[in-house]
Amino acid sequence: MGTESIIARCETLFEDIDFQVVREWKAAQQGRKVVGFMPVYVPEEIIHAAGMLPMGILGGGSDLEVIHGDAFYQSYICRIPRSTVELGITGRLDFLDGMLFPSICDVIRNLSGMWKLMQPKVYARYFDVPQNYQDDVGGVYYQEEMQELRRDLAKLAGHEISDEAILGSIGIYNRHRQLVRDLYALRSAEPWKVPSTEAYLLMRAGMLLPVEEHIEMLKGYLAAVELEDKPRRDNCRVIINGSFCEQPPLNLIKSIEMAGCYVVDDDYMLVNRWLMEEVSTEGDPIRNLADAFLHHSADSAAKYCTKKEEVGQYLLDSVKKNSAEGVIFAAPSFCDPALLERPMLADRMTQHNIPHISFKYAENSGQMQPIREQAGTFADSIKLWS
Amino acid sequence: MTISVGIDIGTGAVKTALFRSSGGNYEWLARCNDKIRQRDPLELARKGLDQVLEESGIGEEEVDYIATTGEGENVTFSTGHFYSMTTHGRGAIYLDPEARAVLDMGALHGRAIKIDGLGKVLTYRMTSQCASGSGQFLENISRYLGIPQNEIGDLSKQADNPENVSSICAVLAETDVINMVSRGITAPNILRGIHDSMAGRLAKLLRVIKAGDGVVFLSGGLALDEGLVDSLNAAMKIQKLKLVARNHPDSPYSGAIGAAIWGAFRHEKLNAMAEAS
Amino acid sequence: MSADIQTEVIKEASMLKQKEMIARNYDELTSTAESGRKMVSTFVPGNLNELINCFGMLNNLPEINAINNGMRKKSGAMIMDAERAGHSEDVCTYVKADIGMMSKGNIAPNGKPMPAPDMLLLSYTGCFTFMKWFELLRHEYGCETVMLQVPYTGDGVITDNMRQFVVKQLKEEVIPAMERVSGVKFDIDRLRENLARSAKAEDDLVWVLESAKNVRSPIDAYFGGVYYIGPIFTAFRGTEDAVEYYRLLRGEVEKRIEQGLGPITPEGDMDEERYRLVVEGPPNWTSFREFWKMFYDEGAVVVASTYTKVGGVYDLGFRHDPERPLESLAEYCLGCYTNRNLPSRVELLEKYVNEYQADGLLINSIKSCNSFSAGQLLMMQEIEKRTGKPGAFIETDLVDPRYFSAANVKNRLESYFQMINQKRQSTKVA
Amino acid sequence: MKCYIGIDLGSTTTKAVVMDAGGEVLGRGITNSRSNYDTASRVAKLEAFISTRFTLFHRALEKVSGLQEAQVDRLLENLERHFRLELFLEQLNDLHQTCAVNADDLRYPGQKDRICAVLDVVFQKLAEKLQKLFGPGVRRKSDFFRDLAGSEYMAVAEEASKTMGVFFETLINIYDKSIIDVENRPPNADMAGKFLRALDRVLREEDLTVDPETIKQAIKDVLDVELEESYVVGTGYGRVRLPFSKDHIRSEILCHGLGAHLMYPNTRTVLDIGGQDTKGIQVDSKGIVVNFQMNDRCAAGCGRYLGYIADEMNLGLHELGPMAMKATKAVRINSTCTVFAGAELRDRLALGEKRENIMAGLHRSIILRAMSIISRSGGVTNEFTFTGGVAKNEAAVTELKKLVRENYGDVKINIDPDSIYTGALGGAEFARRAVEQEA
Ligand SMILES: Nc1ncnc2c1ncn2[C@@H]1O[C@H](COP(=O)(O)OP(=O)(O)O)[C@@H](O)[C@H]1O
Ligand SMILES: Nc1ncnc2c1ncn2[C@@H]1O[C@H](COP(=O)(O)OP(=O)(O)O)[C@@H](O)[C@H]1O
Ligand code: SF4
Ligand code: SF4
Ligand code: SF4
C-alpha cells in the first residue's frame, strides 16, 4: 500500500465522530470491552493486558456541532471538555465500558466527576500520577494507584490481570513506541517526505486502532515513504509546543506548513510518546511502569518540574536534536497548564537565542488567516535573514 | 536594475506600489490605493497592477518581481508572497529610517512588530480573535455618531473629559456608547475614550514585544488618525514606554512598499544564487 | 467612601481584634530583615500553618495579597503588568496579580516592601494552577521550593494510599526542608499544641457558620463569611490569637441572635431578611462592596457558602487532631473543598440548601478559576433537580476589574430575586 | 379609558404595548432605540397609542350599521396609509430643513448655497419617490423613517451630486448628522388633526354606502376618548436609564416569560434572540420563570451579528433570511464573533463558497449558540416559543425548528408575527396587575 491509501484510511478514522472502527472491534467478539481515556497519559498497557481496547478521546474536532456541551461550560473554559460531553450526551460514546481522566488539569479532573454524575453506569476514574519523583515516595504512591486501577479493570473484565499479561503488553507497546519514534525521526530528517498532516493523522489513528494493527500501519507507512519522492520546499524548521491536550484543527496544522514551516517535532497527543524509553519486560510490571514514568517520561506542562534549571530543558534538547530554527507555542485558548508554562519556556528560548512565537487556537477555530500570517512572518524572518 | 511591484490586499483597501531599485537604492515610481467596497479584491489587485504600470509607463514584461502581501496568497499573477508583518517592517524603514518598531493598525487586527535598522522583523504580536478595540469598531461608532472618518482625529483632540469605555466586547461597548450619548457625553469625549481604550491595548502589544525606546512607526489604515496617535503617545507614557509614535502621509502604503522592496531583494538574491551555481 | 460609612457603623470587638492581628502580621512579614525570621510562601487551601509555626517561620499567602490588592483596586494594573510581561489573558488572575505585584516592588498593605520568601511551599491542593504559579515564582526568586502533592479525591474518599503519600512527603520532604531553611529542629510536641489550638478555634468557627441556620440569620455566611474565615484560613490557625478571635466572634453572634438582629453590613445592620441563598464560588474582590450591596439592598442573605470551605470543610466534622498530628494535617489537606470531587461538592450544596432552608443556589462563576468553575453548570442542574429550588448563575472574576460588569450582574440578580418572589406569591395564592 | 403600558427598551428596538383593564391588547408600537432612550420610549409609546386608536376605530366602525367587515378593513387600511404619509412627509420636511441648517458648517466654507440648491432638488425627488411607498397595497421595507429615507437618499444624492458638482461625501455627512436630530424629535402633537385630515382624504376617495358623517362621527368619538396612562412598566436593556421608579421596572426575563405565557399558555420554554443578547427561559404553567440563561459577556451570535453581516454585504436585514433559504448546503462557520463575522465571510467568499451557503452557515451558527443556551436553561420540555427580532428571520426560524426537532423531538413551536413585542406585553400585564390586582 502506498502512503496515500494509508493516509486516506487515517483520514476516514479521524473524521468519523461515531467511532465506527471501535464499535466494530467491540462487536467482533462477545465480551470485548473498551476503555476511553483523555489526555495526557494513562498506562495503556494495563488496559491492553486486561484484553480491553484503550481508546484515546481527544474531543470532537472541528466538525462536531456542540449544542449540549456548551450548556455545561462557561465561555472561558477550553473546548475539549464541552465537545467530549457532547459526544457523551449524543450517545457517540455509548460503547465505552470505562473512562479514565488523567491528571492534567482542573478541567479534566472535574470532568471525571461530571462523568460520574452524568453516566452513573459507566466506570469512571480520575487517574492520578505523582508529581514527586522519589521511588519510595511518589513511586510507592503511584504503584498503588496503578494497582487500584488494575483491580478495577480486573473487575470490569471479569478476570484477573496477571503480571505476565502486563509484561507482554509492555513488550508490544515498546515496539509501538519505537515505531513512533522512528516516524518522528524520519520526519525530522526529511520533513518534506512526511508532511505534518500525514504524521498527525497516522498518530490519530493510533488513538483508535488496536496497538497491533497500528504497529502494522506504521510499518507500512514507513516502508511506503521510502519509495516515494516528494518535492522539497524552501521551508524553515520549527517545533510546535503546547498542543498536548485539546488538538488544533487539521487546517491549522496544514496552514503552518503552507505558511512556510516544516514541523520537525511537536507535542500533539503526547500519549503515544509519553514514556520515552523502553519499559523493562522483566520483573514486576507495575514497578517497571512506575520507574519508567518517574524517570523517563516526557516533560510537559502537566508535570511538576523539580528544579528551576530543568524547566524547558526538554524543549531545548529537542531544538538541538532536531536542528530546529524556531519554536511555535500553539496552545488552546484557556488552557491553563500550557499558558502558564509558556512564559517560562519562552524565557528559556530567548536566553538561548531561539526565535519563537506564540498563538492560541481552539479545536474548532475557523479563521486560519491570522495563524498563517503569524507563522508566515515567522518563516519569512527565518528565511530572509538567516 | 530591478523593477518590482508590491500589492497589499487588506480588509478595507488594496494598495499597490511600483519600485525601481538598484544597489540598495529604491525609487518609488507609481502607486495606487483602491477602497474595496464590496468588490472582489483579487480583481482590484489586477487593476492596481495595471494602474501602476500605466502611471510609470513600464510594461508588464519589464517587471522582475510581483510580491503580494496581506490577504494576497491566492493572487495568481504574483511571483511571491510575503506575510504582512515582514512587509510592514520594511515599509516602515523606507518611510522612516529611524523606526525601530511598527504598529500596524488595521480594521480587524492590531499588530506590533519590532524591527532592526534594516527592516528585519525581530518579534511581533497580533491582537486575538476578539474584535474589541479594532478599527472596525471605531468605524462603526463614528458612523453611528454621524462623523466622517477623517474628522475623528480632530474631534478626539478636542476632548476635555474623555469617557471611559469599559466593556471588553466591541458589540457591548457599542451599547455603552449609545448610553453615553443619552447621558449627554459629547462626541469628542466619546471618541477620545475609544481612542484611549484602543491605545491602551496597542501600547500593551508594544510592551509585550519589548519595543524598547525610539520611534514606533504607525502603519495601516488608522495610522493617520491623529486622535489615536495622541492617545497612543499618552498611553505609552502611562505604561512607561519610552517610545514616540510617528506616522507618515504614506503610512497606508507601508505594506505595499515593503512587499515591493523585499520582492526586489529576493529577485536579486535568486539571481545571484543562479549565477553562483 | 468607606470612611464615612465607617463612622456610622460600630466596629465590633472581633473586627477590631482581626484588624489588629492582620496589621501585626504584615508588620512581622515586612520586618524579617530586622527580626531574622524566615518566611514561607504557601497557599490557603491545605496550608500547613501549624507546621510552619513550629519552625518559628512566618507564613505569607500570595492569594491573600492578591485579594488585598483587589479590594484596594490595585490589582487591575498589576494584572496588566503581568500580561504585558507575556502572561496570557486566559489564566488565573491571582497568579498575574501576584506577579504584577512583584514587578511593582511587592509592597505590603502597610506600605513596606515584602521580603523575598525563603521558601516556597507548594502545597498543591485542589488546583493545578498552584503548581505552575510556584514554578513561576521559583523562576523569579530561585529559592528553595518544596512540592507537597495532595492527591485529588477523585472517588470522593480519602484512601490510605493518599494519606500515607502526604504523610510521607511531610516527613521526607517538607519537614527536612523546613529544618534546613529555618535552622530549627522539628518538635512534634509543639505541633501538637498548635493543632489543639486549631481545633478549639475550629469549634467556634463552625458554631458561627451554623448560626445561619436560624431563620433570620445573624450572619452573612459569604460576604461576612470571608471575614470570619480570615484567621482560620491564614497565618493564624493554631495561634492563641485565633482562639481568642473566634471566642469573641461567637459571643457577638450569640448576642445578635438574642437581640433578633440580622447580619452586619457595611451600612449597618441589615433590615429584613427576604431571601436566603446558598452561594457557590469565590466572591469578586475588586467590587466587593458594590457586589455585596446588590444583596443586602434586596434583603438577600447568604446563609451558607462553599467558598468559606476552601481552607477546610470543618462543618462536616473534621478537626485538627493533636493525637494524630501528621495524619490529621494530611486529612485536612485532602479534605479542602476544591479537593473534593464534583459529586461530593453537589452533595454538600444540596445539604446546605436543605439544612439552611435556602430559597435557592446562586453560583458566582469565576473566570480565573477552573478548579471551581469547570462543572458548575452541571452542579446547578443537579441541585435544582434534587432540591426543587431555583438556581442562578452569574459570572465575574476574582481580582480582574475588567470582568466585573455591574449592570450585567445586577440584571441577573434582580431577575433571580424577582423570580423567587413571583414563585412565592404564586404558591401563596394557590 | 385606563391603559396599561409595557415598554421594552431593547438595544436595537424599543417596543411598547398598550393593554386595557381586561388584559386585552389594544395597540403595539415600535421604534429603533437610538442614542436617546427617553425619546425612544416616547416614540414607541406614541406609536402604540396610534395603533390603539386604530383598534378603537375598528371597534367603533364595526358598530356602524351598514358597514361590512371588509369595508371597515379597507377603510382603516387607507386611513393608516394617508395618516402615515402625512407623518412621513412632515418628518421628511424636517429632515430637509435640518440638512439645510447643517449645510452651513465651517467644514464647507462658502458652499452653503450650492449645497442647499442640491438639497432642494434631492428632497423634491425624494418626496416624489417616497410618496409611492404609501400607495395602496405597497409593502414597505421597514417601519422606520431612517431606513426608508436613508436608502433612497443615497441613490438620489449620488445622482444629484454628479450633475450638480457637490461632493457626494458632503451630502452623506450632512445627512448622517441630520438624521439623528430628526429621529430624536418626536412628531408634532396634533395627532387628532392628522387623523381627521387623513380621514377626509379617504372619504373623498371612497365610494361608500354609508353616510360619511356617521363614520366621521364614530372616528371623532374615538379621538375624544382620553387614553390615560394608568401604569407604565419598563423593561429591557435600557430600563435602568429611564426615569422609571423602581417598582415600575421589571426584569426583561420575567416580562418575556409572562409575555410568552399570555400568547401561548402552554409554552414552557421561551427563546428570545434580541440585538445583543440571547435568552433561554423556562416558565411554569402560570407564566412564572423557573430558570433562565443568557449569553455571557460576549455578544457573539446575537441579532447584531446579522446586522453586521447585512452591512457587510450591503443588504437589508430582511434580505438575509430569504438569501439563506436559497442555500444548497450550510457552510460551517465557527467563529461567531459579531465583529469578525465580516472577516469570516470574506474568507469564505475568497475560498469560493457561495453567498447563499455561507449565509445559511451563519444562520445555523447563531441558532446553534441559541440551542446551547436553551440546553443550559434546561432544554425544551413542552411547547416552545421563539421571540425577539430574529424570529422575524425565516432562515433562522427554519434552522431552529429543525434543530429543536432533532434534539427534543416533536414539540409544538410557536412563532408569532408580533413576537417582537413579547417583552413589552409581559410588561403591560405586570402594569395591569400592579393596579387591578391591588384593588
Ligand atoms: N471581622 C469582620 N466580621 C464581619 N464583618 C466585617 C469584619 N470586618 C469587616 N467587616 C465588614 O466589612 C466592612 C468593611 O470593613 P473594613 O475592611 O474594615 O473596611 P475599611 O477598609 O473601609 O475600613 C465592615 O463595615 C463590615 O461590615
Ligand atoms: N425584519 C427583520 N428581519 C430579520 N431580522 C430582523 C428583523 N428585524 C429585526 N431583526 C433582527 O432582530 C434584532 C433585534 O432584535 P430585538 O428583539 O429588537 O432586539 P433588542 O430587544 O435587543 O432591541 C436585530 O439585530 C436583527 O438581527
Ligand atoms: S486544553 Fe488545557 S485546560 Fe483544557 S482540558 Fe486540556 S489541559 Fe486542561
Ligand atoms: S466579545 Fe464581542 S468582540 Fe469579542 S468575540 Fe465576542 S462578540 Fe466579538
Ligand atoms: S485557579 Fe482557582 S484555586 Fe487555583 S490559584 Fe487560581 S483562584 Fe486559586
Side-chain angles (χ1 to χ4, degrees), chain B residues 129-132 168-172, chain D residues 297-301 336-340:
Chain B
Q129 297 283 322
C130 173
S132 47
I168 309 198
C169 169
V171 180
L172 300 183
Chain D
R297 299 175 39 69
C298 172
T336 33
C337 170
T338 311
V339 185
F340 273 91

Side-chain angles (χ1 to χ4, degrees), chain C residues 2 6 11 15 18-19 227-228 245 264-266 289 292:
Chain C
S2 65
Q6 292 309 309
K11 289 264 184 188
M15 291 188 194
Q18 189 178 40
K19 264 208 146 131
Y227 292 96
Y228 304 146
Y245 168 79
I264 306 183
T265 76
R289 292 282 187 89
W292 190 354

Side-chain angles (χ1 to χ4, degrees), chain C residues 149-219:
Chain C
Q149 181 186 3
V150 178
Y152 181 66
T153 55
D155 288 329
V157 288
I158 298 175
T159 65
D160 282 342
N161 192 32
M162 293 174 186
R163 191 181 303 111
Q164 277 159 21
F165 180 40
V166 177
V167 169
K168 215 175 209 167
Q169 291 177 83
L170 289 174
K171 278 191 188 147
E172 296 187 18
E173 311 259 343
V174 178
I175 292 175
M178 288 186 167
E179 288 181 328
R180 220 164 31 239
V181 171
S182 66
V184 176
K185 191 105 194 66
F186 176 55
D187 173 3
I188 196 151
D189 291 326
R190 199 166 158 189
L191 178 62
R192 287 184 208 273
E193 286 162 22
N194 288 347
L195 293 175
R197 276 191 291 269
S198 297
K200 220 153 133 201
E202 285 155 8
D203 282 339
D204 283 337
L205 167 72
V206 170
W207 188 91
V208 168
L209 291 178
E210 292 190 336
S211 71
K213 286 185 182 168
N214 286 294
V215 175
R216 179 69 170 150
S217 168
I219 62 161

